[in-house]
Amino acid sequence: MKPVRSLARVMLSGIFVISGVRNFQHPERLVPAAQPITDRVAPLISNVAPQLPTDTTTLVRANSAVQLAAGLMLATGRFTRPAALVLAGTLVPVTIAGHPFWKNDDPAARNNNQVHFLKNLGLFGGLLLAAADTEGKPGLRWRAGHRIGHSRRSVTRAVRTARREARIAALSASTARRLPG
C-alpha cells in the first residue's frame, strides 16, 4: 500500500505546489477576488497580531507560500497529516473567494465556478482522508485506549498478587502460632 499512498500524496499535492508558486510570484491576478475575504479577516489579524501585514497582496502571497510548503511536505511524506490539515484550511478561503458560483448571473460563469467549487470540495475531502491516514499504524485514540487497558490489567494483577501474598503471610503467621514452640 505504501507506493499507492506515496503516489496519491504526490498527485494530491501537485495542484497546491504549482498554484502556490504561481500565486506567490503573481498575486495581483487574485487580489480582486480575494479582497472581500481579506477585508473581513484583516481586522481579526490586526487584533490578534498587530505587527502582521493585512494588505490583500501580502495575504495572498502568505497563503500561496503556506500551500507551497505544505504541498511539498505532503508530496515528500514529511509531516503528512498536519500538512494535509493545513492545506485543507487554506483551501476554504480560496474556494469561497475564487469560486462564488452563487453570485454569478451568467449561466456559463456560474457553471464554471460551480465545477471549480465542487473540484475544490473533492480536494478538501481527499485532504481530510490524508489527514486521517495513519498508514496502517494504530491511531492515537487506539494507542491511548490500548495503553489504558494494559495499565488496568497491570493494576488488577498487582492487586491480585498483593492479596495472595497477604493471605499467604496471614496463613503462615497463624500456622506459626499453632506450632508448639
Side-chain angles (χ1 to χ4, degrees), residues 97-157:
H99 308 294
F101 66 90
W102 54 91
K103 291 182 179 179
N104 293 116
D105 294 330
D106 176 31
R110 181 183 198 84
N111 185 47
N112 185 41
N113 274 330
Q114 193 171 32
V115 166
H116 285 292
F117 185 91
L118 292 172
K119 172 202 47 121
N120 284 3
L121 197 61
L123 285 171
F124 189 79
L127 290 168
L128 290 180
L129 284 173
D133 181 26
T134 61
E135 298 185 29
K137 299 172 189 161
L140 187 59
R141 181 178 174 191
W142 182 89
R143 286 186 281 174
H146 183 72
R147 179 59 51 204
I148 289 169
H150 179 73
S151 298
R152 283 182 184 153
R153 286 188 299 277
S154 295
V155 168
T156 302
R157 262 188 251 115

Side-chain angles (χ1 to χ4, degrees), residues 8-20 67 71 74 83-92 94-95 99 114-132:
R9 285 187 187 133
V10 169
M11 293 168 70
L12 183 58
S13 67
I15 186 75
F16 297 101
V17 173
I18 299 298
S19 65
Q67 285 185 339
L74 184 64
L85 278 176
V86 167
L87 287 172
T90 65
L91 196 56
V92 172
V94 167
T95 302
H99 308 294
Q114 193 171 32
V115 166
H116 285 292
F117 185 91
L118 292 172
K119 172 202 47 121
N120 284 3
L121 197 61
L123 285 171
F124 189 79
L127 290 168
L128 290 180
L129 284 173

